[in-house]
Amino acid sequence: MKKLLYIALSILVIQSCTNQSDTKLPILGNREPVERTVDGKTIVDTIYQTISPFSYFNQDSILVTDKDFDGKIYVADFFFTSCNTICPIMHRNMLDVYKKFKDNPKVKLLSHSIDIKYDLPSRLKTYATKLGVEGNQWEFVHGSRDSIFNIAAKNYLVSAFEDSSDPQGLVHQGWFILVDTKKQLRGAYDGTKADQVKQLMEDMDKLLREEAANEK
Amino acid sequence: MAIIIQSCQNEDSITYKRYYVNGKGLYEKNCQNCHGSDGKGLGTLYPPLTDSTYLIANKKKLACIIRNGQSEQITINNVAYQGQMPGNNTLADIDIAQIIVYISNSFGNKQGHYDQTEVAQDLAACK
């Protein structure tokens, strides 16, 4: 009886392993079909939404662009240093992601400040240091009003805007957006919920396996 | 006589428990985002509430901190913190007392009851 149980258990384990590597994360966002001709036959490709080129200053006042994310998967979010509502929760959770993937050269984190006026690089540096973040695996970036709010709305599909009726004048959602090496959106997680952030970390492992398989 | 003492004690402990439970709910709503569900804070951005020495030394100031916020530099367990804690104008004295009971009896702290009547006294002495 015991033996049978072990066999059943090991089948379950094998099963769940194969399942894990088989299912790919979905590709999110807008898509459009594009026709092309190969050997006289018409093939329909799907073009997925990607993150547009960007350039911002990070916490070390160094210019950071989309090129710095080439060949890496990354998690993006929107926050501001004086935000006293959801941001502490988001970044307490993001800190778990940071610790788990620390020094993994294939992983980066990208936090955009939406407080264009006050969150200059020096302030972002103080914030990062107090949070316990060193180096540039986790980039805290400052950009122009248009570039930050546009990329939030159009590329990451996160709502962020200035609102004079809000006590802090800025409103934003707490999404963590997972982006793959093709700069496609692969997941959106509520950064204020511990269980969703746990899912994000599992999905990052999954995406890293997919990217490694693609490289071969 | 013995019975009366018994029942008084029970009433005290019922009051304490009621404060504690309500205080937990108020903490989750008003404080937990910054100070964390385990009271450990967040890096040096938000200080921990786990240091009994600090909380005991500042017991009479807690009501002021909660009502008015705080932004001066403070040192807890040899670590310096300087941030901006917002004040809470909407919390009534009873809410503040319940929150104080909760934080000063959680996260490794054990300071017993703190009554609503003490809040007014402590608030009158705020700087």
Side-chain angles (χ1 to χ4, degrees):
Chain A
M1 185 59 205
K2 230 183 183 167
K3 226 179 200 166
L4 244 164
L5 220 151
Y6 280 129
I7 293 170
L9 261 178
S10 55
I11 290 173
L12 253 173
V13 171
I14 293 166
Q15 185 82 42
S16 66
C17 284
T18 46
N19 271 350
Q20 227 175 22
S21 51
D22 280 345
T23 56
K24 278 192 184 171
L25 298 176
I27 301 173
L28 309 178
N30 301 322
R31 60 194 63 189
E32 49 181 297
V34 175
E35 287 184 1
R36 63 186 170 109
T37 319
V38 177
D39 300 333
K41 279 188 212 143
T42 308
I43 294 177
V44 180
D45 282 342
T46 309
I47 305 282
Y48 293 94
Q49 173 182 343
T50 56
I51 304 297
S52 309
F54 55 79
S55 83
Y56 305 118
F57 283 105
N58 75 359
Q59 66 267 36
D60 295 313
S61 305
I62 292 169
L63 203 63
V64 171
T65 73
D66 48 295
K67 298 264 175 303
D68 295 302
F69 294 76
D70 284 352
K72 300 171 197 296
I73 70 167
Y74 71 96
V75 184
D77 75 353
F78 295 83
F79 86 113
F80 56 107
T81 61
S82 62
C83 154
N84 56 27
T85 51
I86 60 172
C87 304
I89 312 176
M90 289 166 65
H91 281 176
R92 182 178 290 113
N93 288 332
M94 192 70 103
L95 205 55
D96 288 341
V97 179
Y98 173 70
K99 284 179 188 149
K100 173 164 179 192
F101 294 96
K102 198 161 192 294
D103 300 327
N104 183 330
K106 297 269 179 210
V107 176
K108 273 179 91 70
L109 306 176
L110 174 59
S111 291
H112 307 75
S113 170
I114 60 167
D115 187 349
I116 313 301
K117 205 162 155 199
Y118 291 107
D119 279 345
L120 301 173
S122 60
R123 212 159 123 159
L124 294 172
K125 182 69 178 178
T126 307
Y127 179 86
T129 308
K130 284 185 170 184
L131 194 58
V133 175
E134 293 160 0
N136 68 346
Q137 185 179 14
W138 185 348
E139 310 272 14
F140 296 84
V141 296
H142 169 84
S144 71
R145 180 170 273 107
D146 281 354
S147 67
I148 296 283
F149 288 105
N150 274 340
I151 207 162
K154 297 193 179 128
N155 286 206
Y156 294 105
L157 311 179
V158 173
S159 160
F161 50 91
E162 290 165 298
D163 178 356
S164 54
S165 70
D166 178 81
Q168 293 203 285
L170 292 163
V171 174
H172 65 113
Q173 295 176 316
W175 295 109
F176 288 173
I177 306 295
L178 178 58
V179 181
D180 69 14
T181 60
K182 296 197 187 98
K183 313 224 190 281
Q184 301 174 136
L185 310 184
R186 302 302 293 273
Y189 312 81
D190 184 341
T192 64
K193 303 252 155 61
D195 57 331
Q196 292 208 25
V197 176
K198 193 167 156 267
Q199 183 66 49
L200 162 64
M201 290 192 267
E202 285 167 20
D203 287 356
M204 287 170 76
D205 280 329
K206 193 183 268 186
L207 185 56
L208 284 170
R209 283 196 295 272
E210 178 191 318
E211 300 283 6
N214 287 346
E215 266 177 29
K216 276 180 205 149
Chain B
M1 189 65 200
I3 293 167
I4 292 170
I5 291 170
Q6 184 82 43
S7 70
C8 284
Q9 269 176 355
N10 279 347
E11 207 157 288
D12 278 356
S13 92
I14 287 168
T15 309
Y16 166 80
K17 278 188 191 132
R18 184 162 47 83
Y19 270 55
Y20 185 90
V21 170
N22 291 341
K24 183 173 197 293
L26 288 163
Y27 178 84
E28 284 166 0
K29 218 170 124 227
N30 297 289
C31 325
Q32 184 161 304
N33 60 335
C34 293
H35 292 287
S37 58
D38 51 9
K40 286 195 183 138
L42 178 60
T44 54
L45 283 169
Y46 303 109
L49 303 173
T50 50
D51 190 71
S52 295
T53 316
Y54 183 91
L55 285 190
I56 289 168
N58 292 280
K59 177 118 197 188
K60 294 240 146 256
K61 277 169 69 184
L62 293 181
C64 297
I65 297 175
I66 294 171
R67 171 63 59 79
N68 301 327
Q70 183 172 280
S71 59
E72 68 197 51
Q73 176 162 324
I74 52 173
T75 304
I76 301 174
N77 203 4
N78 293 325
V79 180
Y81 298 86
Q82 172 134 44
Q84 187 73 252
M85 167 155 160
N88 290 281
N89 289 324
T90 54
L91 292 175
D93 287 8
I94 177 75
D95 300 329
I96 292 179
Q98 290 172 339
I99 291 173
I100 290 176
V101 165
Y102 178 68
I103 62 172
S104 56
N105 292 283
S106 304
F107 323 129
N109 302 306
K110 195 114 207 79
Q111 297 180 35
H113 192 59
Y114 173 89
D115 203 72
Q116 178 183 2
T117 52
E118 296 173 73
V119 176
Q121 288 168 27
D122 287 352
L123 283 181
C126 289
K127 272 187 284 180

